[in-house]
Amino acid sequence: MHAPFRLLVPRELTALSLGLSEQTHVHWFCPPDAVRPLLPPGLRPDEFDGRAWVSLVALVMRSVHALGRVPLPRGTFPQTNLRTYVRTRDGRNGVWFLSLDAAHPLMLSGRAFGVPYHWAELSVRRSPGGGTVTYTGRRRGGRGRNARTAAPGYRLTVREGAPLGALSDLDHWLTSRWSAFARHAGVLWETRIEHPPWRLRGAELLELRETLTAHAGLPALGPPALVHTAEPVDGVRLGVARPVGRG
């Protein structure tokens, strides 16, 4: 389940290489019909036991290199993505990003390829004892404080738990994803992803206030069904996007 696409992401075709730390994954299930209108032609909700899933993933990207070689200035920064799980018409699975918020303006270049990046003010703070992590984020550009004009954002606090030994089928389903899709100029694009196995931990959700899901067009999702954290990892690579079909 964790075999990376080493043969499908050749070194010379690396778009980004990086490490990841301070990862927290918050997962909700929801009806597939709630996700389907948010997807482009060519993709459908992937389902686990008849349910679609949505995940908020907060993390720190570190030592980011473009083209696998060129270091990004200030190349360590927080990022938050809101994603759902999808399949193509021919049955290949991956993720569809409903939004990506990054604390680095150069990441907005991904919007030229249909990736929904936003420049945001993000922070990650670990407690003095090390077991609790608090994430805060607010997208730049909002005005006022009411729900219609305020920029979407969130505040998330988790307490890390013990390492997960044997992963459940759902754990694998949510975290073993090796493609990300985007739509640009009427074409569906696929980016292959390579990384070592996530070393997952359980986590206790202490606080969550967010408006990212509603802003993305999702209905009220209720309390999360599952929360993971993950140990730091290096050797993450994103391939160059390739077209996979007309939208």
Side-chain angles (χ1 to χ4, degrees), residues 76-175:
T76 296
F77 52 89
Q79 178 169 293
T80 301
N81 69 66
L82 182 68
R83 70 191 198 187
T84 190
Y85 303 88
V86 294
R87 285 191 177 270
T88 61
R89 290 189 177 112
D90 61 4
R92 288 178 294 122
N93 67 32
V95 299
W96 172 262
F97 290 111
L98 300 167
S99 66
L100 292 112
D101 291 275
H104 200 304
L106 289 182
M107 297 303 291
L108 271 64
S109 61
R111 296 171 70 169
F113 304 97
V115 184
Y117 262 111
H118 303 272
W119 190 14
E121 297 176 359
L122 304 173
S123 70
V124 181
R125 188 179 74 253
R126 185 171 283 274
S127 66
T132 300
V133 187
T134 296
Y135 306 83
T136 58
R138 178 68 60 186
R139 197 169 294 169
R140 293 174 180 263
R143 300 176 182 274
R145 292 183 175 274
N146 66 67
R148 293 185 178 180
T149 59
Y154 76 101
R155 181 179 175 87
L156 165 67
T157 302
V158 296
R159 179 180 292 119
E160 291 182 324
L164 299 183
L167 300 186
S168 70
D169 290 344
L170 179 58
D171 294 332
H172 278 299
W173 189 90
L174 290 166
T175 60

Side-chain angles (χ1 to χ4, degrees), residues 12 22 24 27 41 46 61 69 74 76 85 88 91 111 113 148 155 163 165 179 190 199 202 214 223 226:
E12 63 271 18
E22 304 294 359
T24 291
H27 308 285
D46 199 3
M61 298 176 69
R69 296 179 177 87
R74 296 184 292 109
T76 296
Y85 303 88
T88 61
R111 296 171 70 169
F113 304 97
R148 293 185 178 180
R155 181 179 175 87
S179 293
E190 179 182 18
R199 300 188 298 273
L226 185 64

Side-chain angles (χ1 to χ4, degrees), residues 182-245:
R183 185 172 184 266
H184 176 64
V187 177
L188 192 64
W189 298 80
E190 179 182 18
T191 297
R192 297 284 190 167
I193 305 165
E194 171 189 314
H195 62 76
W198 302 135
R199 300 188 298 273
L200 296 178
R201 290 176 171 266
E204 179 186 0
L205 182 65
L206 301 179
E207 176 186 19
L208 178 59
R209 291 179 283 129
E210 61 85 22
T211 56
L212 297 174
T213 54
H215 194 268
L218 289 162
L221 297 177
L226 185 64
V227 182
H228 289 131
T229 62
E231 301 284 348
V233 66
D234 293 304
V236 179
R237 293 198 299 132
L238 282 67
V240 174
R242 61 178 189 172
V244 293

